[in-house]
Amino acid sequence: MLPDINVYKILEIIGTIAFASSGAMVAVKRRLDYLGIVVLGVTTAVGGGMCRDILIGQTPPGMFLDPTNTIIAFWTVNCMFLTIRMKWSQLLHLQGETYDNIMNFLDAVGLGLFTATGVNMAISAGFGNNGFLCAFLGVITGVGGGILRDILSGQTPVVLRKHIYACASIAGAVSYLLFMQAADHNLSMFLSSSIVVMIRLLARKYDWNLPGAQ
Amino acid sequence: MLPDINVYKILEIIGTIAFASSGAMVAVKRRLDYLGIVVLGVTTAVGGGMCRDILIGQTPPGMFLDPTNTIIAFWTVNCMFLTIRMKWSQLLHLQGETYDNIMNFLDAVGLGLFTATGVNMAISAGFGNNGFLCAFLGVITGVGGGILRDILSGQTPVVLRKHIYACASIAGAVSYLLFMQAADHNLSMFLSSSIVVMIRLLARKYDWNLPGAQ
Amino acid sequence: MLPDINVYKILEIIGTIAFASSGAMVAVKRRLDYLGIVVLGVTTAVGGGMCRDILIGQTPPGMFLDPTNTIIAFWTVNCMFLTIRMKWSQLLHLQGETYDNIMNFLDAVGLGLFTATGVNMAISAGFGNNGFLCAFLGVITGVGGGILRDILSGQTPVVLRKHIYACASIAGAVSYLLFMQAADHNLSMFLSSSIVVMIRLLARKYDWNLPGAQ
């Protein structure tokens, strides 16, 4: 038996939490204030979906019409803020490599589900016969938030530099489109997200990187 | 008696001038050429409204359909350019702290009025029942230009770092929405803008900053 | 005799190739990986048109509906990648100043044609009576890709800093609008593009720069 759609809702929430945390961590490292941390965290979590919605002309973007994810991201960032400020993470021994591994796994789950959700929304919006557009919208949903986070915090987007991050998203988007030819929505989402998670975990474990030109 | 709506038009022009000047000053400090100064100045003044219009799907953005503010920003930047190039500011003794204080006050007025205008436009566009969206559109109208200015000039947006700038805008947007429950447009705009100006002046005077996480 | 419209199609392809190459070169210099090179190259080539389409509400942007230019940009970047990786450019003696001169010329052609195309699309979309909007959309089509490239790679956009690049585009857009009063589309495109190319070549040869404020 495949998981029910509500399981995906829960997984998407997990992805939102992971993305919001990663944005908040970048803001903390750049010594931004409370509001900067909130903005970067929330942007990382919902920015990809916002880019997708603007590109297909669904305005105002979904993050305003159904702000569930926006609210989840907001509270996630606040918990992160408190945790770091109160130094609770030391009490929980959630530090260094353990913490990195947990975050990396959640982030991979988020990337996979956001990518599949993005492709799915593009199909729902009636662009199903334009595979290139659907795949692109899936990828931008997955990586757009991270790109906005990096632009706002003044660094070259990580997705352009490291660890086949966008590549995993591209693989997920394309495989979702392929699976949809033969399987239903649930199965496609499960399989394509699994592919993304697997690529990301392997890329981290074996330190895969794309070649540069020199 | 509350001021007539034409007073707000004048105040909005003052805000536009202040925003355009701040953009031009950043460009001058980064040693950009004449065109860079014009682009940064105009973007700072009208960029927030452009972001708002794209988010609610009012395309082309108002800055093109009614370019009054765009033109005012353009001539402001040209005056700044001439003033600095001709060193007239030294003749007028408009330097250092006096200049900073004047600019900070004008900028606060602009922030307050732009924020309230943004909320007002969101209500006019029919999003009055979505308070979160209205408040966000108000804030993006107020701070969006400054964020674009900082992204274009390659620095982490100041609003994420300093002096409760975005906070003042958020307070203004939320209070505008609250005042609108009980009062008319003019009174709400007056009160909410005053709140923004007051917060900004106090924040500067007493060097208020939001806490960071560490 | 003026060239047929198909000649312009070919020239636009040349412009796309030049823009994609310039984006790829920036990515190579910043040591981005293969995907970063592809993203920067393609963004530089089609990003200006994407900005224009979002601003006038033509969503999804043309780069997805008719991906010819996107595909050309993609293959251009791949050829660049191979050429640099295999060090073929040394075999062809396409290095240093010769290479720079060729790229600069192609880039000028691209800038001229993209600018005129942008103005033309704005007129087709029904904004012909708003000269300011048409000119702006032409300029953003011409320089928008380069601005996105520079924001993504974390530097102050070159167009704000150097060699009357945006100025040439502005001159092209305005002259296209003027020529359209008296001549047909083909002649206007030919003349305005020639003006852009001429300004760019002269600016490079005589090292023209706009004055700064100091």
Side-chain angles (χ1 to χ4, degrees):
Chain A
M1 265 316 277
L2 276 170
D4 185 65
I5 190 70
N6 289 323
V7 175
Y8 294 113
K9 196 74 208 155
I10 293 170
L11 289 173
E12 199 186 320
I13 291 174
I14 292 177
T16 303
I17 292 173
F19 276 23
S21 307
S22 92
M25 286 307 297
V26 169
V28 169
K29 270 183 202 147
R30 309 259 316 171
R31 307 199 155 277
L32 301 187
D33 64 17
Y34 171 72
L35 195 88
I37 296 171
V38 168
V39 170
L40 271 202
V42 173
T43 302
T44 308
V46 300
M50 195 187 68
C51 291
R52 179 200 60 219
D53 291 345
I54 289 177
L55 281 173
I56 59 175
Q58 285 193 339
T59 51
M63 61 172 281
F64 300 111
L65 302 182
D66 172 14
T68 318
N69 283 350
T70 315
I71 293 165
I72 291 170
F74 177 76
W75 288 113
T76 303
V77 173
N78 279 285
C79 292
M80 287 288 290
F81 183 80
L82 263 184
T83 306
I84 294 170
R85 193 150 179 103
M86 301 297 178
K87 301 187 197 313
W88 288 338
S89 55
Q90 293 171 17
L91 298 177
L92 295 169
H93 296 285
L94 275 176
Q95 283 178 293
E97 203 159 346
T98 317
Y99 175 82
D100 285 352
N101 283 333
I102 294 171
M103 289 306 296
N104 188 57
F105 179 72
L106 294 178
D107 184 84
V109 172
L111 183 66
L113 286 162
F114 277 35
T115 303
T117 308
V119 178
N120 196 45
M121 284 204 179
I123 294 173
S124 309
F127 302 115
N129 55 352
N130 186 338
F132 170 55
L133 176 57
C134 289
F136 184 89
L137 291 174
V139 174
I140 205 75
T141 309
V143 307
I147 292 179
L148 286 181
R149 173 197 67 207
D150 293 340
I151 290 177
L152 281 176
S153 62
Q155 47 189 2
T156 304
V158 173
V159 302
L160 302 183
R161 281 189 283 125
K162 223 167 65 171
H163 276 169
I164 27 181
Y165 194 90
C167 262
S169 179
I170 292 171
V174 171
S175 65
Y176 184 85
L177 281 171
L178 293 178
F179 291 137
M180 281 294 275
Q181 308 285 336
D184 70 342
H185 169 74
N186 275 8
L187 183 56
S188 304
M189 188 166 247
F190 176 75
L191 291 176
S192 63
S193 301
S194 307
I195 288 175
V196 174
V197 173
M198 223 138 62
I199 294 178
R200 285 292 297 147
L201 294 187
L202 290 172
R204 187 178 160 87
K205 177 144 191 192
Y206 298 107
D207 204 27
W208 287 348
N209 282 298
L210 286 179
Q214 284 168 332
Chain B
M1 267 315 277
L2 276 169
D4 185 65
I5 189 70
N6 289 323
V7 175
Y8 294 112
K9 196 72 208 157
I10 291 169
L11 289 173
E12 200 186 320
I13 291 174
I14 292 177
T16 302
I17 291 172
F19 276 25
S21 307
S22 92
M25 285 309 296
V26 169
V28 169
K29 270 184 201 146
R30 310 260 315 173
R31 307 200 154 278
L32 301 187
D33 64 17
Y34 170 73
L35 196 87
I37 296 171
V38 168
V39 170
L40 271 202
V42 173
T43 302
T44 309
V46 300
M50 194 186 68
C51 292
R52 178 200 60 219
D53 291 344
I54 290 177
L55 282 173
I56 59 175
Q58 285 193 340
T59 52
M63 62 172 280
F64 300 111
L65 302 183
D66 172 14
T68 318
N69 283 350
T70 316
I71 292 165
I72 292 169
F74 177 75
W75 287 113
T76 304
V77 172
N78 279 286
C79 292
M80 288 287 290
F81 183 80
L82 263 183
T83 307
I84 294 170
R85 193 150 179 102
M86 300 299 178
K87 304 190 197 311
W88 289 337
S89 55
Q90 292 171 16
L91 299 178
L92 296 170
H93 295 285
L94 275 176
Q95 281 179 294
E97 204 159 345
T98 317
Y99 175 82
D100 284 352
N101 283 333
I102 294 171
M103 288 306 295
N104 189 58
F105 179 72
L106 294 178
D107 184 83
V109 172
L111 183 66
L113 286 162
F114 276 35
T115 302
T117 307
V119 178
N120 194 46
M121 285 205 179
I123 295 173
S124 309
F127 302 114
N129 55 351
N130 187 338
F132 170 55
L133 176 57
C134 288
F136 184 89
L137 291 175
V139 173
I140 205 75
T141 310
V143 307
I147 292 179
L148 286 181
R149 173 197 67 207
D150 294 341
I151 290 178
L152 281 177
S153 62
Q155 48 189 0
T156 304
V158 174
V159 302
L160 303 181
R161 280 190 283 125
K162 224 166 63 171
H163 276 168
I164 26 182
Y165 193 90
C167 263
S169 178
I170 292 171
V174 171
S175 65
Y176 183 85
L177 281 171
L178 293 178
F179 290 137
M180 281 296 274
Q181 308 285 335
D184 71 342
H185 168 75
N186 275 8
L187 182 56
S188 303
M189 189 165 246
F190 177 74
L191 291 176
S192 65
S193 300
S194 307
I195 287 176
V196 174
V197 173
M198 223 138 61
I199 294 179
R200 284 292 297 147
L201 294 187
L202 291 172
R204 188 179 159 86
K205 175 144 194 193
Y206 297 107
D207 203 26
W208 286 348
N209 281 298
L210 286 178
Q214 284 168 333
Chain C
M1 266 316 275
L2 277 171
D4 185 66
I5 189 70
N6 289 323
V7 174
Y8 294 111
K9 196 73 208 155
I10 292 169
L11 289 173
E12 200 186 321
I13 291 173
I14 292 177
T16 303
I17 291 172
F19 276 24
S21 307
S22 92
M25 286 307 297
V26 169
V28 168
K29 270 184 202 147
R30 310 260 314 173
R31 306 199 156 278
L32 301 187
D33 64 16
Y34 170 72
L35 196 87
I37 296 171
V38 168
V39 170
L40 272 201
V42 173
T43 302
T44 308
V46 301
M50 195 186 68
C51 291
R52 178 199 60 219
D53 291 343
I54 290 177
L55 282 173
I56 58 175
Q58 285 193 340
T59 51
M63 62 173 280
F64 300 111
L65 302 183
D66 173 14
T68 318
N69 283 351
T70 315
I71 293 165
I72 291 170
F74 177 76
W75 288 113
T76 303
V77 172
N78 280 285
C79 292
M80 287 288 290
F81 183 81
L82 263 183
T83 306
I84 294 170
R85 194 151 177 102
M86 300 297 177
K87 303 188 196 311
W88 288 338
S89 54
Q90 293 172 15
L91 298 178
L92 294 169
H93 297 284
L94 275 176
Q95 282 178 294
E97 203 158 347
T98 317
Y99 176 83
D100 284 353
N101 283 333
I102 295 172
M103 289 307 294
N104 189 57
F105 179 72
L106 294 179
D107 183 84
V109 172
L111 183 66
L113 286 162
F114 277 35
T115 302
T117 307
V119 178
N120 195 45
M121 284 204 180
I123 294 173
S124 308
F127 302 114
N129 56 350
N130 187 337
F132 170 55
L133 176 57
C134 289
F136 184 89
L137 291 175
V139 173
I140 205 74
T141 309
V143 307
I147 292 178
L148 286 181
R149 174 197 65 207
D150 293 341
I151 290 177
L152 281 176
S153 62
Q155 47 190 0
T156 305
V158 174
V159 302
L160 303 181
R161 280 189 284 125
K162 225 167 62 170
H163 275 168
I164 27 181
Y165 194 90
C167 263
S169 179
I170 292 171
V174 171
S175 65
Y176 184 84
L177 282 170
L178 294 178
F179 290 137
M180 281 294 275
Q181 309 285 335
D184 70 342
H185 168 74
N186 275 7
L187 182 56
S188 304
M189 188 165 246
F190 176 75
L191 291 176
S192 64
S193 300
S194 306
I195 288 176
V196 174
V197 172
M198 223 139 61
I199 294 178
R200 285 292 297 147
L201 293 187
L202 290 172
R204 188 178 160 86
K205 176 144 192 194
Y206 297 107
D207 204 27
W208 286 348
N209 281 297
L210 286 178
Q214 285 169 333

